[in-house]
Amino acid sequence: MALFQGLLLLLNPVSLIYLVLGVLLFLIFGAMPGLGGPVAFAILIPLTYTMDPISAFALLVGGHSAVMFGGSISAILINTPGTGQNVATTFDGYPLTQQGRAGEALGASATSSAMGSVVGAFFLAGMIPILRKVVLLFGPPELFLICIFGLTTIAAVSKGSFLKGLVAGVLGLLLSFVGFEPVSGDLRYTFGTLYLWDGIDLIPMIVGLFAIGEVIHLSTVGGAIAKKKIPEAAVGVLKGVKAVFKHWFLMIRCAIIGTIIGIIPGAGGAVANVVAYGHAVSTSKHPEKFGTGIIEGVIAPETANDAKDGGALIPTVAFGIPGSETMAILLGAFLIQGLQPGPEMLTKHLPFLFSLVWMIVLGGILGAIVGLSVARRLTRLTMVPFSLLAPFIIAVALLGSFSSRGLLNDVFLTVIFGFFGYGMKKYGYPRAPVVIGLVLGHIVEKNFHLSLQLFGWYFLLRPLTLVLLVMLAMVTTLPLLRKPRRRQG
């Protein structure tokens, strides 16, 4: 019943218009290498501040379902992946283009992306009844430790060193302490500034770290995003669509792989993309053809790419632990809309949760249809000098940051975080743990105080907390043990 209630919530003209708008915008950002989903999220989230939750998430979640296909367009046509999660698509996608089969590759990518979205979304729908029972086992002690576990896991699987990921996460936690202390009500770290009494707002941080920081980084590189000639992409699309259904069993297997990897916090689409491609090679009757231009080399990674979004939403909505960098930003959107992930999401907001399932399905299908029709035009954007695109992106980002609360200080904070985000990227510090630390910091502090009040320090001896402590110890020590082994080898 809730599944159909969720569909009815989405099927209104306003929400559907926002869904279409989101698909178009995320396709553009996905097709432009270096931008991608996180930057699109960072720019669009401020615009959702005054929207109703269904319209807001139709724009964000529905639109994001199209970003992976957008990234595959430039990966296939000009050998430049639109996002880091389309890397494996270039292995066979671009060789197919060189053979004059660009349309076939795009048709396969569009269909695989749509089918991956459908499988991932319905896997999420099937998990919701199970998650409703599981989350009820978690009290304040378990929620406190699972937040710490999630933050540590994100740090452990972040690109670069585990220590840098952990430093970024701790920094996010420290930033969450700015403002009123939840128990005593005392002010902390406000430096006598009234603006900081309510803490650091999530929107200026997200817009600064991802949108402004990325623009600064790309501006320092200079030139156009891509410099390769755009090939003809209209021929053979239907042949690529048929190829996906011809290899339906591979598509289903890779969708399952993507969904499972999406559930693992921090693993992300880049892992799903590469693992699915490796699975296709290892199970193929002609593995020697991979890398020379074979359609299975497009179907496998693109199916997993989109299927992982349904999986990544599972830990995000059930425990408030983002399954990927984009889910970390989306978690902020939940809080902005007054929706608290966890037991409340799975009980009080069940129809809304199922509407997210339909957003992924419709967004993935619509993204494939629209993306095929505008693929060639989208790739032309990558030839535009970034110096011309940067002012537009900065203006939209700063306007969005200001419009969320109408405070000029938010704009200044956005700029500060922009330079901070650029510095983090330059020196190899992941940015997602900072956002996760800020978001989870309030939950960590509140549940820590509740745990002490209810159980004292004995809360660490509860059965589930002991299990989580063991898992936390494993996540913390394994990255530290890897390096000595590599040196010995």
Side-chain angles (χ1 to χ4, degrees):
M1 180 63 71
L3 182 64
F4 294 104
Q5 288 176 343
L7 179 60
L8 291 175
L9 285 174
L10 181 60
L11 292 180
N12 68 80
V14 175
S15 297
L16 291 176
I17 288 170
Y18 279 117
L19 179 69
V20 174
L21 179 62
V23 165
L24 289 171
L25 291 173
F26 274 91
L27 273 172
I28 293 170
F29 276 85
M32 298 178 68
L35 297 183
V39 178
F41 267 133
I43 291 176
L44 294 176
I45 279 179
L47 306 181
T48 66
Y49 215 86
T50 56
M51 291 183 189
D52 64 276
I54 297 296
S55 297
F57 284 93
L59 178 70
L60 298 174
V61 175
H64 184 257
S65 299
V67 77
M68 289 299 104
F69 176 58
S72 75
I73 292 172
S74 54
I76 290 168
L77 295 183
I78 56 177
N79 200 30
T80 306
T83 75
Q85 302 174 29
N86 295 105
V87 173
T89 308
T90 63
F91 299 164
D92 283 281
Y94 188 63
L96 283 167
T97 296
Q98 292 175 313
Q99 297 170 21
R101 299 165 63 191
E104 184 181 344
L106 286 171
S109 174
T111 310
S112 300
S113 296
M115 296 306 296
S117 294
V118 171
V119 173
F122 282 104
F123 190 90
L124 169 63
M127 286 293 294
I128 288 172
I130 300 171
L131 292 171
R132 292 184 70 190
K133 297 177 181 179
V134 171
V135 295
L136 294 177
L137 301 174
F138 287 76
E142 288 78 20
L143 289 173
F144 162 71
L145 276 174
I146 202 166
C147 286
I148 297 295
F149 173 74
L151 184 60
T152 308
T153 304
I154 295 290
V157 299
S158 296
K159 293 179 181 178
S161 72
F162 168 65
L163 183 60
K164 287 183 176 180
L166 198 59
V167 167
V170 171
L171 177 62
L173 281 176
L174 293 175
L175 291 172
S176 73
F177 297 151
V178 174
F180 286 103
E181 201 272 334
V183 176
S184 66
D186 294 334
L187 286 171
R188 303 175 298 186
Y189 315 118
T190 59
F191 306 102
T193 305
L194 183 64
Y195 171 71
L196 293 176
W197 278 26
D198 290 328
I200 292 176
D201 192 63
L202 193 63
I203 287 179
M205 170 188 268
I206 290 174
V207 175
L209 281 178
F210 292 93
I212 304 297
E214 203 67 42
V215 167
I216 295 172
H217 168 72
L218 290 173
S219 297
T220 58
V221 176
I225 293 173
K227 301 177 176 64
K228 293 176 181 161
K229 183 181 177 182
I230 306 171
E232 182 59 50
V235 181
V237 171
L238 187 59
K239 187 177 180 181
V241 174
K242 291 179 179 178
V244 176
F245 295 101
K246 180 181 178 182
H247 300 284
W248 63 271
F249 191 41
L250 173 66
M251 182 265 294
I252 290 174
R253 296 199 310 269
C254 291
I256 294 171
I257 289 171
T259 305
I260 293 172
I261 291 175
I263 295 172
I264 303 169
V271 176
N273 188 254
V274 174
V275 170
Y277 185 86
H279 170 75
V281 175
S282 62
T283 57
S284 175
K285 295 178 180 178
H286 36 72
E288 71 283 352
K289 294 184 180 180
F290 280 80
T292 63
I294 184 170
I295 202 67
E296 294 98 305
V298 174
I299 294 170
E302 287 305 311
T303 303
N305 262 350
D306 283 78
K308 66 100 178 45
D309 289 331
L313 266 172
I314 291 173
T316 306
V317 299
F319 305 109
I321 299 175
S324 65
E325 187 179 68
T326 50
M327 290 299 130
I329 303 173
L330 191 65
L331 182 59
F334 278 111
L335 300 180
I336 289 167
Q337 292 292 332
L339 299 168
Q340 180 65 60
E344 184 177 320
M345 181 72 75
L346 294 165
T347 52
K348 296 181 182 178
H349 304 291
L350 196 59
F352 167 77
L353 190 53
F354 277 108
S355 74
L356 295 181
V357 173
W358 289 110
M359 290 173 196
I360 294 173
V361 171
L362 294 179
I365 295 172
L366 186 62
I369 296 171
V370 175
L372 280 174
S373 63
V374 298
R376 187 174 172 83
R377 294 179 180 87
L378 284 178
T379 50
R380 285 201 180 100
L381 286 174
T382 66
M383 307 297 166
V384 177
F386 194 77
S387 58
L388 298 179
L389 295 174
F392 172 74
I393 295 173
I394 290 174
V396 172
L398 294 181
L399 182 62
S401 183
F402 173 77
S403 63
S404 64
R405 297 194 298 175
L407 297 176
L408 190 58
N409 284 335
D410 282 348
V411 177
F412 294 137
L413 192 63
T414 300
V415 174
I416 291 170
F417 274 114
F419 283 100
F420 188 70
Y422 165 68
M424 292 187 73
K425 180 153 187 171
K426 182 178 180 181
Y427 293 105
Y429 284 85
R431 291 169 290 179
V434 181
V435 177
I436 296 168
L438 180 69
V439 171
L440 296 184
H442 304 289
I443 303 172
V444 166
E445 194 170 11
K446 180 182 73 174
N447 284 290
F448 176 70
H449 285 298
L450 283 172
S451 299
L452 286 179
Q453 290 170 7
L454 293 172
F455 307 103
W457 286 102
Y458 292 104
F459 81 83
L460 294 172
L461 300 178
R462 287 161 61 92
L464 272 177
T465 54
L466 284 173
V467 172
L468 289 168
L469 282 171
V470 172
M471 293 170 64
L472 182 61
M474 291 173 61
V475 170
T476 307
T477 55
L478 283 176
L480 301 175
L481 294 174
R482 286 180 194 149
K483 289 184 179 179
R485 287 182 182 174
R486 286 176 183 170
R487 287 172 189 165
Q488 288 172 9

